[in-house]
């Protein structure tokens, strides 16, 4: 282990591993069953669901790799460990959901134009089994997320929420076709399923994209944090303030502060660290203490010194008047 004591840069994630292994085995088995059933019944709704299930197998495999990598400690090359791969896997999973949804839209439109016959009984039987399997897997992953916050597992959960809705959609489609004889309900339900899958994928892509771009996590207000740091005695300016997430639940903060040279720098650093820890629960904090006359800040430093001189001059004039 290297000298990283504020943030471990690794995750054990025992509950997530168990949940993902369970879902991976069950999903692989049912995907094979659903693909065969979809081909035999010629149901687009069932085939779209099986395509989504196939993507689940890939997504779960990526998630498993990410979890095992995240449990590895940092080294001299990967000083933040392998936590970020969890976010990369989430991004790819979300992207896969969106691509699958687009494929469902295209095939759904084609079948609207050219309707095809469907074997109702086989379609309904497999969809019912799929509903039960997906319900169980959704519950397993939901419980896992409650125990351990993990965007990677959340992206896998969205896959299964989409599967659960797909199964419900296929069942509804089969019943409507049986009572009305209109095969248009099969591609119509498929497009509805595709829309839900696309929205879920877009949410995962958006969330993982912000983490990959080192954006400020949504639960932190950077300007409020800046104001709180400025309120610390001795701090005269805060700049180069950055807050980002390495992975879910792993946050870092860095800041440069210009200080009053009459106050001990270590006291200011300690006060800022305690403030951020108590108020925002951030322990991985790096504060760089600076002085504008020593450290080069270009125009920013010049303006700061001018502002400081403008503030201090009235007090100097008052002292001069007191001498008279």
């Amino acid at each position: 282990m290297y000298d990283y004591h504020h943030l471990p840069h690794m995750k054990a994630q025992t509950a997530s591993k168990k949940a993902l292994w369970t879902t991976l085995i069950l999903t692989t088995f049912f995907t094979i069953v659903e693909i065969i059933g979809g081909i035999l019944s010629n149901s687009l709704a069932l085939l779209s669901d099986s395509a989504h299930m196939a993507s689940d197998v890939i997504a779960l495999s990526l998630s498993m790799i990410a979890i095992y990598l995240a449990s590895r400690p940092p080294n001299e090359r990967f000083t933040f460990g392998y936590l970020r791969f969890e976010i990369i896997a989430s991004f790819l999973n979300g992207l896969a959901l969106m691509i699958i949804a687009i494929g469902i839209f295209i095939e759904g439109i084609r079948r609207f134009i050219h309707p095809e016959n469907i074997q109702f009984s086989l379609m309904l039987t497999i969809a019912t089994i799929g509903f039960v399997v997906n319900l169980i897997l959704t519950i397993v992953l939901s419980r896992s997320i409650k125990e351990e916050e993990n965007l990677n597992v959340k992206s896998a959960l969205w896959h299964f929420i989409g599967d659960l809705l797909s199964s419900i959609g296929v069942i509804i489609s089969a019943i409507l076709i049986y009572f009305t004889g209109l095969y248009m309900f099969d591609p119509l339900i498929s497009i509805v399923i595709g829309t839900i899958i696309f929205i879920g994928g877009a949410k995962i892509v958006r969330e993982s994209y912000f983490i990959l771009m080192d954006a400020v996590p949504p639960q932190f207000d950077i300007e409020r944090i800046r104001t709180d740091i400025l309120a610390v005695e001795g701090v005269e300016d805060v700049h180069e303030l950055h807050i980002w997430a390495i992975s879910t639940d792993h946050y870092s903060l860095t800041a440069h502060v210009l200080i009053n040279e009459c106050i001990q720098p270590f006291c200011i650093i300690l006060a800022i660290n305690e403030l951020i820890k108590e108020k925002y629960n951030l322990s991985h904090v790096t504060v760089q203490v600076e002085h504008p006359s020593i450290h080069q800040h270009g125009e920013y430093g010049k303006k700061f010194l001018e502002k400081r001189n403008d503030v201090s001059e009235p007090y100097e004039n008052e002292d001069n008047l007191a001498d008279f």
Side-chain angles (χ1 to χ4, degrees), residues 60-246:
L60 288 168
S61 300
L62 265 176
S63 298
M64 289 300 301
I65 294 169
I67 280 182
Y68 276 98
L69 282 175
S71 64
R72 295 177 62 183
N75 53 48
E76 68 276 7
R77 184 170 181 81
F78 297 99
T79 56
F80 276 108
Y82 297 84
L83 293 173
R84 186 55 68 88
F85 190 80
E86 171 190 308
I87 309 304
I88 295 171
S90 300
F91 183 85
L92 293 174
N93 284 341
L95 203 59
L97 284 168
M98 295 172 72
I99 292 169
I100 288 166
I102 292 169
I104 293 171
F105 295 151
I106 294 169
E107 183 61 17
I109 293 168
R110 190 189 71 80
R111 288 215 182 185
F112 262 122
I113 299 169
H114 305 289
E116 297 183 13
N117 293 327
I118 296 166
Q119 291 187 23
F120 162 78
S121 58
L122 183 59
M123 174 184 173
L124 184 59
T125 302
I126 295 175
T128 304
I129 297 170
F131 171 77
V132 174
V133 172
N134 287 318
L135 181 62
I136 293 169
L137 296 179
T138 301
I139 293 169
V140 168
L141 288 176
S142 296
R143 288 179 177 175
S144 171
I145 286 176
K146 287 180 181 179
E147 292 182 41
E148 296 172 351
E149 177 65 23
N150 190 316
L151 181 61
N152 195 28
V153 177
K154 192 185 291 183
S155 68
L157 175 61
W158 259 107
H159 276 269
F160 286 102
I161 290 173
D163 286 337
L164 184 62
L165 294 171
S166 295
S167 299
I168 295 170
V170 174
I171 292 169
I172 293 171
S173 174
I175 293 170
L176 288 173
I177 291 169
Y178 178 77
F179 283 106
T180 65
L182 298 173
Y183 291 105
M184 62 170 286
F185 284 112
D186 183 53
L188 179 63
I189 294 294
S190 298
I191 290 172
V192 172
I193 292 168
T195 303
I196 295 168
I197 293 170
F198 187 90
I199 292 170
K203 286 182 178 179
I204 295 297
V205 166
R206 182 177 182 273
E207 192 171 347
S208 53
Y209 166 77
F210 281 130
I211 295 176
L212 290 172
M213 290 298 293
D214 290 330
V216 176
Q219 65 269 43
F220 298 114
D221 184 341
I222 194 167
E223 291 307 319
R224 183 179 175 186
I225 293 174
R226 188 192 305 276
T227 302
D228 288 339
I229 295 174
L230 278 169
V232 173
E233 184 180 2
V235 176
E236 297 186 344
D237 180 78
V238 181
H239 55 279
E240 290 293 339
L241 177 59
H242 301 282
I243 309 167
W244 72 98
I246 302 301

